[in-house]
Amino acid sequence: MTYEVTADGMTAEQSIDRIEAAGEPRPQDRRLHARGAVYDATFVPSGQITGMTTAAHLTTETPVVIRFSNGSPKFSSDDRGKGIRGMSVKFLSAEGKSVHDLVAANFRAFPSRDPEGFIDLVEALTGLAGKSKLQGLGKLGALLLKHPESRAVLKQFASRNAPASFATTRYDGLHAFYLVDAEGNRRAFRYRLLPQLGEIDLDPKRAATLDRSFLIPELDERLSFGPVTFTLAFQLAEPGDPTNDPSSAWPEHRTLLPAGQFVITGRNADEESWQRQVFDPTRLGPGVEVSDDPVLGFRPHAYGVSASRRLSASS
């Protein structure tokens, strides 16, 4: 199932056109999550999902690369302000090729049930942060009328200060997927990336003493003293939990299985090459399948357009 054109007729090209018009990213940058850094890590499985999937990369020790990012389209965005932070993961084969990607952000649920709502949100939030604040407020009001499912997510998100560190932020995958076992049985899940250090927000008084792009240097310094660890946890769905609506969070009492840990050791030596690549949440290894989520289905098409434009600009 693909969603190159959405139900309202928006194409992937049009979605990127709108993001570019709102955020004015540099031509060579990602259209969102423009500034980021890439790190080496190892996935160490817990053994708790071994019988639930045939995915060897989730059940054996596997090398990975991880990109942490500020979610803004602006490379010069301020890390001290509220906003999206991202953590994207590539599981690698023995030959160093991408096997499976995870793409997560510090939202608890996706802010819209369809791609159009997300683009509306990008336009509204970019307006609030930019010169056209009045226009941004108008777009935000229109967004909440058109997409009422966004209200709870945005209210929760607005209640938090900016993250104090990439290493002290929880990241959610937001979309549903299926684990597939050797008999073909499927179990829906969503994933989370939970920091071993716990969640710590940035104190506003301390924020005033920091550089506007402090997050990457802070993580680099932290890693100079030892590894940083995240737990990959799978929230398992029960009958009736929607797989096609990323804006609808599943109940917190659903089973949460630790699939393993990411042990991050330092900056990747081939970072320039990985920065050029796409982290695609629909790139899945055997033993994992996509759901019927329309936002998930649309994302690789939009990523493809963004990658084509930025790579052309930087070549």
Side-chain angles (χ1 to χ4, degrees):
M1 182 181 297
T2 60
Y3 292 88
E4 189 169 1
V5 178
T6 68
D8 288 349
M10 182 179 68
T11 67
E13 288 80 5
Q14 289 168 337
S15 72
I16 299 302
D17 288 343
R18 289 174 61 183
I19 290 173
E20 289 176 345
E24 299 179 335
R26 301 187 309 180
Q28 70 270 31
D29 289 338
R30 282 173 165 81
R31 273 34 186 175
L32 295 171
H33 295 268
R35 187 175 69 246
V38 180
Y39 297 82
D40 289 320
T42 301
F43 178 69
V44 182
S46 68
Q48 296 197 41
I49 65 166
T50 301
M52 302 177 66
T53 178
T54 59
H57 61 284
L58 294 176
T59 54
T60 57
E61 190 167 304
T62 305
V64 301
V65 292
I66 295 175
R67 184 178 190 265
F68 290 98
S69 59
N70 185 309
S72 172
K74 295 284 191 183
F75 188 85
S76 60
S77 57
D78 194 338
D79 288 340
R80 300 167 299 181
K82 295 182 180 182
I84 306 301
R85 307 293 183 263
M87 179 177 177
S88 297
V89 179
K90 280 185 179 291
F91 289 86
L92 305 179
S93 67
E95 297 74 32
K97 304 296 184 181
S98 300
V99 174
H100 186 150
D101 292 356
L102 307 178
V103 178
N106 58 330
F107 267 116
R108 295 297 184 259
F110 202 79
S112 174
R113 64 171 57 96
D114 56 44
E116 290 88 354
F118 176 68
I119 302 301
D120 289 343
L121 177 65
V122 170
E123 291 174 330
L125 294 182
T126 304
L128 285 174
K131 298 178 182 178
S132 55
K133 188 170 183 179
L134 183 60
Q135 184 181 10
L137 286 170
K139 284 184 175 292
L140 186 59
L143 167 80
L144 296 177
L145 287 174
K146 184 179 178 181
H147 303 280
E149 73 274 13
S150 301
R151 294 177 182 177
V153 177
L154 292 178
K155 182 178 180 180
Q156 183 276 329
F157 189 76
S159 68
R160 301 286 301 271
N161 289 326
S165 169
F166 282 133
T168 61
T169 303
R170 167 181 158 180
Y171 305 88
D172 284 61
L174 306 175
H175 304 291
F177 299 85
Y178 291 97
L179 292 172
V180 185
D181 67 18
E183 286 73 43
N185 299 308
R186 302 162 80 234
R187 182 68 182 270
F189 75 97
R190 288 173 172 167
Y191 56 80
R192 300 176 184 176
L193 299 161
L194 306 174
Q196 184 184 48
L197 297 171
E199 294 183 79
I200 303 174
D201 287 348
L202 184 62
D203 180 83
K205 291 183 179 179
R206 181 168 182 269
T209 70
L210 298 173
D211 184 81
R212 62 184 292 116
S213 57
F214 79 93
L215 281 173
I216 293 172
E218 192 278 340
L219 182 56
D220 290 344
E221 181 179 8
R222 187 184 294 269
L223 286 167
S224 70
F225 295 99
V228 166
T229 301
F230 282 80
T231 295
L232 172 62
F234 289 169
Q235 184 187 32
L236 303 181
E238 295 293 342
D241 291 336
T243 57
N244 63 350
D245 183 358
S247 70
S248 178
W250 295 342
E252 278 299 306
H253 62 265
R254 295 289 183 259
T255 299
L256 193 65
L257 282 182
Q261 290 189 323
F262 294 112
V263 181
I264 305 167
T265 53
R267 291 286 280 273
N268 183 272
D270 194 22
E271 181 167 6
E272 182 177 354
S273 175
W274 290 116
Q275 291 281 20
R276 293 173 61 85
Q277 296 199 30
V278 173
F279 289 77
D280 177 358
T282 66
R283 180 183 288 117
L284 308 174
V288 186
E289 296 179 354
V290 295
S291 68
D292 54 347
D293 181 340
V295 179
L296 177 63
F298 189 77
R299 287 178 77 164
H301 299 290
Y303 288 5
V305 174
S306 172
S308 176
R309 294 182 184 182
R310 65 181 171 88
L311 295 178
S312 295
S314 60
S315 61

